[in-house]
Amino acid sequence: MKHALEFVRYLRGLRKFDSFSANKAIDNINSEEHLQKKVLSRETLNDDLRRYLGIPEISMTQVVVDPEAVNLIPEEIARRYTLIPYQLQGKSLMVAMADPTDEGALRTVRIITGMDVAPVYVREKEIKAAIRQYLTVEQSVAQMTYLMRQTDNETIAEKAAGELFNNWEEDAPTLRFVYSVLQEAVIEEVSDIHWEPRQKDFVVRYRIDGKLLKKHILSASTARTIISSLKVMANMDVAERRIPQDGRMTFSVGTRQVDLRMSSLPTVFGEKIVVRVLNPEMAQRSLEELGMRPEVKVGVQGLLKHTNGLILVVGPTGSGKTTTLYALLRELNAEEQNIISIEEPVEYQLPGINQVQVNLPAGLTFAVGLRHILRQDPDVIMIGEIRDEETARIAITASLTGHLVLSTLHTNTAAEALERLLDMGIEPYLLASAVRGILSQRLVRRLCNSCKKGYNISEVEKRALRLPKPINQLYRSQGCNKCFGTGFKGRIGVHEFLHYNQEIKELVLTRHNSRDIERQAILSGMLTIYEDGLLKVTQGLTTIEEMLFTTSEIER
């Protein structure tokens, strides 16, 4: 068949649908020759067949999943055929399928359940998420709870630790649950997993796009064995429960590999563990992907052309400063450059860059490391954070002696960074000569493109928010299966870029406060974080509520 349309016509001419012939023809159409011609994808063709056969399409968010129906199919079968039963209707079993025309899958379900099967079409991604939620995790919890009732808690914890490297799928339901949660977190782009023992239960919470969401509530008796399993995986001391510990491991999901950084903390109800999911894709983001306006991007790239000076990225904890520094290092990375960074900790490994990790027990602080880095003939130095006068003084000295230095500070605005360095004891003449520019930033949640909707705003609201007159419509979140009902998917940066000019330099030399410096920067063309946030709102990238919440600590 030379064209997909001929195949569809061929199917319409059949009196009876022949699955084998159809699948064979699908494979023929999706051959390399047809893919290059962009004739028709397998997903599109399956969708056409589904429509032709009158099979309905639903979303898993539109139905109430019946646990009794789900448990009729083993997880292995559900994964093999990408399907999940979700409802019982008399003698019929409603089954969500990625390919409802798969006769082999339908026959298998009929044999296992002994019921009539009513297939519906659901997108593959939704079905896989449902399998993780209703089969993998729930079955692991049930098995754990059963074992806890039968065996002493301490014995289970020891058994879990001993069986870690055996066949966890068959012998260790605790590890099966832990593995499922870690896998789910990576797929759903969770940044942190909180494992929290409480007085009456054990809670697992995910931080998604900066917000904590309660995901699993378990029996309090499962806490110790789960915590023990996590500590073994991260090479932590299982027997030590009185002091905090840190650990690290590599975790694979399909072809993806992520680093997991674990931190334990003893609480009154037992040890709490937080797992930071370090997605290497975060370190590969460009300046545009970070949400920089074109003029900010051009200004920052202009700073990187200098061979010396100090560039600062400022903001509170969790505002994406390190990710921005990595993006800047990627812009600078070249064979002719000797780039050295000192960080605490090294979150992502960057090819071509010499990364040093602070080691406080061994006496390797930022200041000590910096002194030795200066003997390594560096062109560019990245300092994870300037925390004290000693580190600040060495960084500024390095920037004045032929090195380009990049670092971060914890301040709310760009202007406050200059005031903070003066307060640390840095002489105004040194600061005035060293600084090239300062970027302040925050992260706001990005509206989900699949479910955001516009709404009209009144003139009173426009005046109160200082919105431009032509703007009559803003957007708000609705919530759908793609954003897990939150209405947001991912985050984007809002920035203010203080370009260090002669007027600001004179204010620094005369020790003016941050308000005077910010006022001059605005006169020189700087947009504040609040103003950049408003631009993101009017562009439909986030909501006015999200922007106001993120910038609430900044006096406007």
Side-chain angles (χ1 to χ4, degrees):
M1 298 179 186
K2 296 181 179 180
H3 198 281
L5 184 58
E6 294 179 20
F7 174 66
V8 174
R9 288 171 179 164
Y10 162 74
L11 280 179
R12 287 173 179 168
L14 290 177
R15 292 184 179 179
K16 185 177 180 182
F17 181 68
D18 184 344
S19 177
F20 175 78
S21 300
N23 288 332
K24 185 176 179 181
I26 289 171
D27 290 335
N28 178 50
I29 285 176
N30 283 274
S31 66
E32 189 64 31
E33 178 185 356
H34 286 85
L35 287 174
Q36 288 176 356
K37 292 179 180 178
K38 299 181 180 179
V39 176
L40 192 63
S41 69
R42 179 183 292 270
E43 184 178 351
T44 304
L45 183 56
N46 280 340
D47 192 50
D48 287 340
L49 291 177
R50 188 266 307 171
R51 292 173 187 274
Y52 173 66
L53 295 170
I55 298 172
E57 176 181 3
I58 65 164
S59 168
M60 294 303 292
T61 59
Q62 298 173 343
V63 297
V64 177
V65 177
D66 183 354
E68 186 179 345
V70 172
N71 290 327
L72 292 174
I73 295 292
E75 181 188 351
E76 180 187 354
I77 298 299
R79 289 190 179 278
R80 182 188 303 170
Y81 295 111
T82 316
L83 58 81
I84 186 167
Y86 67 90
Q87 216 170 74
L88 289 165
Q89 291 186 354
K91 294 183 178 180
S92 293
L93 180 65
M94 304 295 293
V95 181
M97 304 178 66
D99 181 7
T101 66
D102 187 343
E103 281 294 337
L106 294 169
R107 191 183 309 113
T108 301
V109 174
R110 288 192 201 102
I111 292 171
I112 292 174
T113 63
M115 303 181 71
D116 294 330
V117 178
V120 296
Y121 173 69
V122 175
R123 297 194 179 278
E124 183 177 351
K125 189 174 181 180
E126 289 188 45
I127 293 179
K128 288 182 176 179
I131 291 172
R132 289 194 303 272
Q133 181 177 353
Y134 296 107
L135 281 172
T136 308
V137 175
E138 294 300 330
Q139 286 187 4
S140 300
V141 172
Q143 290 175 12
M144 271 196 304
T145 304
Y146 174 77
L147 281 176
M148 287 298 173
R149 290 171 181 165
Q150 302 297 319
T151 316
D152 178 66
N153 194 28
E154 194 78 32
T155 305
I156 289 293
E158 293 171 0
K159 182 181 178 184
E163 290 179 346
L164 179 64
F165 299 106
N166 296 329
N167 188 347
W168 61 269
E169 282 195 279
E170 295 179 3
D171 304 323
T174 301
L175 298 172
R176 179 186 175 91
F177 171 73
V178 170
Y179 183 92
S180 301
V181 169
L182 295 178
Q183 184 183 52
E184 182 179 58
V186 172
I187 292 171
E188 295 183 5
E189 299 181 353
V190 173
S191 62
D192 300 270
I193 312 168
H194 291 242
W195 311 75
E196 300 177 340
R198 299 182 179 178
Q199 187 172 12
K200 295 182 179 179
D201 51 31
F202 182 65
V203 175
V204 182
R205 296 195 291 170
Y206 291 172
R207 187 175 295 279
I208 302 177
D209 298 332
K211 301 291 184 182
L212 273 174
L213 303 174
K214 190 180 291 185
K215 196 69 176 180
H216 306 290
I217 302 176
L218 312 174
S219 166
S221 61
T222 63
R224 181 168 290 183
T225 180
I226 291 175
I227 296 298
S228 296
S229 300
L230 286 166
K231 291 171 73 173
V232 171
M233 294 168 76
N235 293 317
M236 297 158 71
D237 187 352
V238 180
E240 182 56 74
R241 304 189 184 101
R242 299 166 298 173
I243 60 174
Q245 295 185 63
D246 293 308
R248 196 162 184 156
M249 66 169 288
T250 301
F251 186 74
S252 298
V253 178
T255 58
R256 294 175 61 189
Q257 264 199 346
V258 297
D259 287 333
L260 303 179
R261 196 175 73 229
M262 298 193 194
S263 172
S264 72
L265 183 71
T267 71
V268 291
F269 299 119
E271 284 184 284
K272 171 184 175 178
I273 282 188
V274 174
V275 179
R276 168 66 58 88
V277 182
L278 301 174
N279 186 349
E281 294 176 4
M282 293 293 293
Q284 304 300 318
R285 292 191 172 181
S286 64
L287 298 179
E288 295 94 336
E289 290 172 324
L290 296 177
M292 288 188 187
R293 304 189 312 276
E295 56 268 32
V296 172
K297 177 191 169 186
V298 170
V300 170
Q301 287 177 328
L303 298 182
L304 300 179
K305 294 176 182 178
H306 292 281
T307 57
N308 60 69
L310 177 64
I311 302 172
L312 292 172
V313 180
V314 304
T317 300
S319 59
K321 299 186 298 295
T322 302
T323 302
T324 299
L325 282 184
Y326 283 153
L328 298 181
L329 288 181
R330 288 181 63 243
E331 294 269 335
L332 290 165
N333 199 2
E335 283 296 328
E336 60 269 18
Q337 294 266 47
N338 178 20
I339 303 176
I340 305 178
S341 74
I342 180 164
E343 308 167 53
E344 185 190 13
V346 174
E347 294 195 353
Y348 305 105
Q349 296 179 4
L350 303 176
I353 294 173
N354 305 287
Q355 295 173 271
V356 179
Q357 181 157 309
V358 168
N359 189 341
L360 295 179
L364 180 56
T365 62
F366 279 112
V368 171
L370 269 174
R371 281 196 290 268
H372 288 276
I373 285 172
L374 290 172
R375 300 170 192 164
Q376 293 285 315
D377 185 33
D379 296 298
V380 179
I381 302 171
M382 191 271 266
I383 306 167
E385 182 185 347
I386 294 177
R387 297 178 179 174
D388 51 47
E389 181 187 351
E390 186 180 11
T391 305
R393 193 169 293 279
I394 298 172
I396 287 177
T397 301
S399 69
L400 292 172
T401 55
H403 307 90
L404 185 62
V405 179
L406 285 66
S407 189
T408 71
L409 266 177
H410 281 90
T411 62
N412 283 329
T413 66
E416 286 178 13
L418 296 168
E419 190 173 31
R420 175 69 56 82
L421 289 170
L422 289 171
D423 291 341
M424 282 183 178
I426 304 301
E427 291 79 1
Y429 71 91
L430 289 176
L431 188 59
S433 302
V435 175
R436 294 291 184 188
I438 304 171
L439 181 73
S440 177
Q441 68 179 54
R442 298 290 187 280
L443 292 176
V444 295
R445 291 185 294 171
R446 185 195 289 263
L447 278 168
C448 174
N449 287 326
S450 299
C451 63
K452 70 177 182 182
K453 290 186 178 179
Y455 66 96
N456 295 325
I457 54 174
S458 66
E459 290 298 324
V460 175
E461 289 174 313
K462 282 204 288 187
R463 285 195 297 272
L465 297 169
R466 289 181 275 163
L467 291 172
K469 287 187 177 181
I471 302 298
N472 296 311
Q473 189 180 63
L474 298 180
Y475 292 84
R476 60 165 57 104
S477 54
Q478 300 293 314
C480 66
N481 62 294
K482 291 186 178 179
C483 59
F484 310 107
T486 65
F488 298 92
K489 188 69 175 174
R491 290 192 287 178
I492 191 170
V494 288
H495 306 89
E496 64 181 23
F497 176 58
L498 189 152
H499 200 294
Y500 202 64
N501 54 29
Q502 186 61 38
E503 290 80 7
I504 293 175
K505 184 180 291 188
E506 290 174 1
L507 292 176
V508 172
L509 285 169
T510 52
R511 286 185 174 272
H512 277 67
N513 61 36
S514 59
R515 287 184 179 276
D516 293 335
I517 294 172
E518 183 173 285
R519 199 174 295 116
Q520 179 57 51
I522 292 172
L523 289 174
S524 300
M526 182 185 81
L527 287 186
T528 65
I529 282 181
Y530 177 78
E531 291 168 333
D532 188 35
L534 280 182
L535 282 177
K536 300 292 193 301
V537 170
T538 57
Q539 291 166 0
L541 297 174
T542 190
T543 65
I544 192 69
E545 294 83 6
E546 177 72 10
M547 189 275 294
L548 290 173
F549 174 80
T550 305
T551 62
S552 60
E553 82 282 8
I554 304 173
E555 293 186 27
R556 298 183 291 277

